[in-house]
Amino acid sequence: MTASLLAITDLYCERDDRVLFENLSLQLNQGQIVHLVGKNGSGKTSLLRILSGLYHSYEGSVKYLGQDISHVRNEYNKALLYIAHNVSVKGALTVRENLDWYSKIQPQLDSDMIQDAITSVGLNDFDDVLCHHLSAGQKRRVNLARLYMLPVSAFENSLWILDEPYTAIDVEGVASLENHLQGYVSEGGAVILTTHQFMHRTEAVVKINLDELGT
């Protein structure tokens, strides 16, 4: 029996003496998009940070292909692309320079795909513009361009964790990203994301309400 891409078992997390969630168990498989929903403060971002290996104050287990993520850290990091809610672009660098910088700190990204990524997120006329001149939505697109820098050959068993990726993106940009996510999971990848926006493309999407888990 093939192990789930990501298996979360009996997860418990508290913050500031408040339990965010307990007895939380879920599985994420290849070809699947898990859409996490829940009220503000329900622990969505904390859960994504745990799954990304950035937050360690929890109990329970998180396994990648049947092995605890702490035991396969290097393998998991190569398979993982985490895009946080906060836009992490360097204002003193151009769009292209930011993406080149990303490719150096995230070796799963292919720097040869930078131009195609810029085109895919609609920033063709801004590739040499310093990012501090960009709007909030354009900066978000720079962040999301990383999703277009992973070769199809690397999709299988890879995982994208996205915290509010549609924030500040216009309707056309949201539709384009939804199409890209569907294409990605159809080639063996998996996505877990949060968004307050309605998702129009629902193929492969499983919605999980964090408020209803672990009760």
Side-chain angles (χ1 to χ4, degrees):
M1 182 176 178
T2 304
S4 297
L5 186 67
L6 199 66
I8 302 156
T9 305
D10 293 335
L11 214 60
Y12 173 91
C13 178
E14 66 176 57
R15 225 171 183 179
D16 300 323
D17 298 321
R18 183 174 68 88
V19 175
L20 293 178
F21 43 77
E22 58 184 333
N23 302 320
L24 192 161
S25 298
L26 62 91
Q27 294 187 342
L28 180 64
N29 300 311
Q30 280 184 312
Q32 191 175 55
I33 299 173
V34 167
H35 175 195
L36 282 180
V37 298
K39 64 180 182 294
N40 291 338
S42 62
K44 299 187 298 296
T45 292
S46 293
L47 176 58
L48 296 189
R49 286 177 57 79
I50 287 171
L51 301 184
S52 301
L54 298 175
Y55 188 69
H56 304 285
S57 298
Y58 68 90
E59 298 175 9
S61 70
V62 180
K63 294 183 178 180
Y64 170 70
L65 294 177
Q67 299 186 73
D68 194 284
I69 59 173
S70 64
H71 299 158
V72 289
R73 189 73 254 180
N74 289 337
E75 180 183 357
Y76 188 54
N77 283 344
K78 291 177 182 177
L80 175 68
L81 184 57
Y82 170 58
I83 297 184
H85 178 55
N86 294 329
V87 177
S88 57
V89 298
K90 294 183 178 294
L93 299 181
T94 67
V95 170
R96 184 179 297 278
E97 288 169 343
N98 265 283
L99 295 180
D100 186 59
W101 175 70
Y102 281 137
S103 72
K104 288 179 170 58
I105 63 173
Q106 297 178 303
Q108 68 269 50
L109 302 181
D110 186 348
S111 61
D112 290 336
M113 300 176 70
I114 288 177
Q115 185 55 55
D116 286 342
I118 290 172
T119 299
S120 295
V121 297
L123 290 175
N124 257 342
D125 296 330
F126 299 90
D127 58 338
D128 291 323
V129 174
L130 295 178
C131 283
H132 68 74
H133 292 307
L134 300 181
S135 69
Q138 289 168 330
K139 290 176 183 177
R140 176 72 60 181
R141 287 172 184 261
V142 176
N143 246 358
L144 295 174
R146 284 179 281 170
L147 301 178
Y148 298 84
M149 292 172 60
L150 187 69
V152 174
S153 60
F155 283 5
E156 188 173 3
N157 287 333
S158 66
L159 172 64
W160 291 352
I161 297 179
L162 312 176
D163 195 356
E164 296 291 344
Y166 300 134
T167 299
I169 300 295
D170 58 26
V171 173
E172 182 180 350
V174 169
S176 176
L177 179 56
E178 285 193 354
N179 287 336
H180 186 57
L181 295 182
Q182 291 290 339
Y184 165 69
V185 298
S186 71
E187 295 291 340
V191 178
I192 182 165
L193 60 80
T194 66
T195 179
H196 292 291
Q197 296 196 33
F198 177 77
M199 296 185 68
H200 295 85
R201 293 288 303 272
T202 57
E203 302 97 312
V205 175
V206 175
K207 183 179 286 188
I208 294 178
N209 191 332
L210 206 56
D211 297 330
E212 298 173 354
L213 289 177
T215 58

